[in-house]
Amino acid sequence: MTRTFFHSFDPPASSPVSGATVDLEVSEIEDAGIREVLQTPGAAYGAWSILDALLTPTGAGTPFVFREPLGQAREVKVALSGLFGRFVARAYLERYFSLSIFAHLGSRTIDLDRRRQVKITRLSRGDLPDWIACASDLSSLTVAEAKGCHDVGGPAKALDRAWAQARRIDVTARGRKVTVKRIAIATRWGMATAGPADARLSVRDPVEEGEPHTQEEKDALFIGMLRLHIANLIKPLGHAELADALRGLTLQSFPRRLEGETQRARSLLDASPVRDVDKASAAMDGLIGGIVTRAGPLTDTGVEPADQEALSRLNLRPVFVGVEHELIRAAIDAEPEAIRSRLAEKGSPDGFARPDRAGGWIIPLGQQRRIIGGT
């Protein structure tokens, strides 16, 4: 179901849409929420699965308006606003900026390729932005921060805070700044009762030019981001060792150690259960991943088809979240052209599965659709 937000963009000439509103499908926001919750450290509970039930029951193409305020206490409102704000912002970035690879930033700086000195550099104290992200062709390096708010006056103050956060890092290679787009996104929620009546999505989006870099340095940057994107996604799905090996590849500064870590990652990938989708077309390769429900991920890779049907009947909304096996291999082997080739845009093979343009798939289970294999 399509929902709309009043949309403001700075600078206006760079807006990805024409007109005063921007559209997002609720399914796009929920899929972004699944990926976001899995990739963020902490409890991977199914917060995305309650979104549609909280919205006003109007038809397609209507405003993104909640039935009631997001809680009574300010602490609850702030927490839920921040959570849903991240879901909406990621869906917006995925759809309108074609970003698909997201590396999450915590309180520390991050090495993307220690051997080539490609890293995130902190510029000032305070919380770091939510993501560095790029497109599936390993381009459009973006630093992004999302805020949600419930202020009657609008999202201007939240946008200012988001912009300050987006400016707290640089991406550097051998000490030289890399060209980045910085995006700050603030969402003010609409409420059917006791609150502002409309939803607003505000964006600030300049590009900051960096210094010249070699193609090798650029490829190392994006491969590091892809490794972190995959590692953060598969770790809560029962593949912690493989995830740690992928992260370890970004930290090796000596060729011999890098060679050893690369071989270890390949061995762990070969030992990981590869799952297939029953009755899927050849467009979908074998997947490394796991089943996620409203209650969070199921790390047991041996969930039988009958169990998958039972989870669906109990309205736990089971989905399989997975990454293509051969893309993980290309990320381990640091093959930029193989990665670009595999990440060339794909359509959904038969209308039921939802690709994310980063080698990942979200596949609803039940109704004769099952995950099979596992060896």
Side-chain angles (χ1 to χ4, degrees), residues 12-13 18 84 104 111 117 130 134 153 159 204 217 226 228 276 283 304 333 362:
S18 59
F84 291 137
H104 288 65
D111 286 286
Q117 299 176 38
D130 290 326
C134 68
L159 186 64
R204 193 173 295 170
E217 290 169 339
L226 178 61
L228 293 177
D276 294 301
E304 297 296 329
D333 293 340
I362 292 179

Side-chain angles (χ1 to χ4, degrees), residues 74-152:
R74 178 175 176 79
E75 293 83 357
V76 175
K77 292 180 180 179
V78 170
L80 290 176
S81 289
L83 186 66
F84 291 137
R86 287 172 76 108
F87 296 173
V88 168
R90 181 159 177 170
Y92 174 81
L93 292 170
E94 289 175 348
R95 177 169 178 177
Y96 290 101
F97 290 85
S98 298
L99 300 180
S100 54
I101 297 168
F102 288 75
H104 288 65
L105 302 179
S107 60
R108 299 176 298 171
T109 54
I110 290 177
D111 286 286
L112 297 174
D113 190 314
R114 187 172 289 179
R115 188 162 66 93
R116 296 180 177 86
Q117 299 176 38
V118 181
K119 63 182 181 179
I120 308 301
T121 303
R122 177 188 284 274
L123 301 177
S124 62
R125 297 178 61 183
D127 291 338
L128 297 183
D130 290 326
W131 310 288
I132 52 172
C134 68
S136 60
D137 62 354
L138 308 186
S139 68
S140 305
L141 181 64
T142 301
V143 175
E145 169 63 21
K147 298 289 186 187
C149 76
H150 52 273
D151 295 335
V152 175

Side-chain angles (χ1 to χ4, degrees), residues 152-354:
V152 175
K157 292 181 179 179
L159 186 64
D160 288 341
R161 293 195 302 272
W163 180 242
Q165 213 160 318
R167 291 175 56 84
R168 287 194 181 127
I169 65 167
D170 275 338
V171 183
T172 60
R174 303 193 188 280
R176 305 191 309 276
K177 286 177 58 175
V178 176
T179 297
V180 299
K181 179 192 291 288
R182 298 186 194 271
I183 296 183
I185 303 172
T187 310
R188 200 280 302 274
W189 308 116
M191 305 293 175
T193 61
D198 54 21
R200 296 184 176 273
L201 196 153
S202 301
V203 185
R204 193 173 295 170
D205 166 41
V207 174
E208 291 188 5
E209 295 293 336
E211 301 174 60
H213 290 85
T214 66
Q215 189 61 48
E216 180 185 38
E217 290 169 339
K218 294 177 182 178
D219 287 341
L221 188 162
F222 291 119
I223 289 170
M225 289 177 58
L226 178 61
R227 287 168 170 170
L228 293 177
H229 171 94
I230 295 171
N232 290 337
L233 188 66
I234 66 174
K235 182 174 183 177
L237 297 173
H239 305 279
E241 280 193 276
L242 178 57
D244 289 343
L246 282 165
R247 288 196 194 93
L249 291 174
T250 70
L251 302 176
Q252 301 309 313
S253 54
F254 299 103
R256 182 173 296 180
R257 290 183 180 178
L258 177 61
E259 183 179 350
E261 283 297 302
T262 300
Q263 186 55 51
R264 174 173 173 265
R266 289 178 186 142
S267 298
L268 288 168
L269 177 62
D270 291 340
S272 298
V274 179
R275 312 302 293 270
D276 294 301
V277 183
D278 190 21
K279 302 178 182 178
S281 73
M284 185 184 299
D285 296 318
L287 302 175
I288 303 293
I291 294 174
V292 181
T293 73
R294 287 180 186 268
L298 306 178
T299 56
D300 182 359
T301 59
V303 180
E304 297 296 329
D307 299 322
Q308 297 170 33
E309 293 279 359
L311 291 170
S312 180
R313 288 196 304 272
L314 292 171
N315 197 30
L316 288 172
R317 295 182 64 183
V319 297
F320 184 84
V321 181
V323 181
E324 294 172 8
H325 178 276
E326 291 307 304
L327 174 68
I328 301 177
R329 185 176 299 280
I332 290 171
D333 293 340
E335 299 176 345
E337 292 310 314
I339 291 169
R340 289 186 178 93
S341 176
R342 295 203 65 84
L343 291 182
E345 188 169 350
K346 296 181 179 181
S348 182
D350 58 7
F352 74 92
R354 303 190 290 271

Side-chain angles (χ1 to χ4, degrees), residues 31-44:
D31 284 357
I34 291 174
R35 290 187 282 269
E36 186 62 21
V37 168
L38 289 175
Q39 290 180 311
T40 303

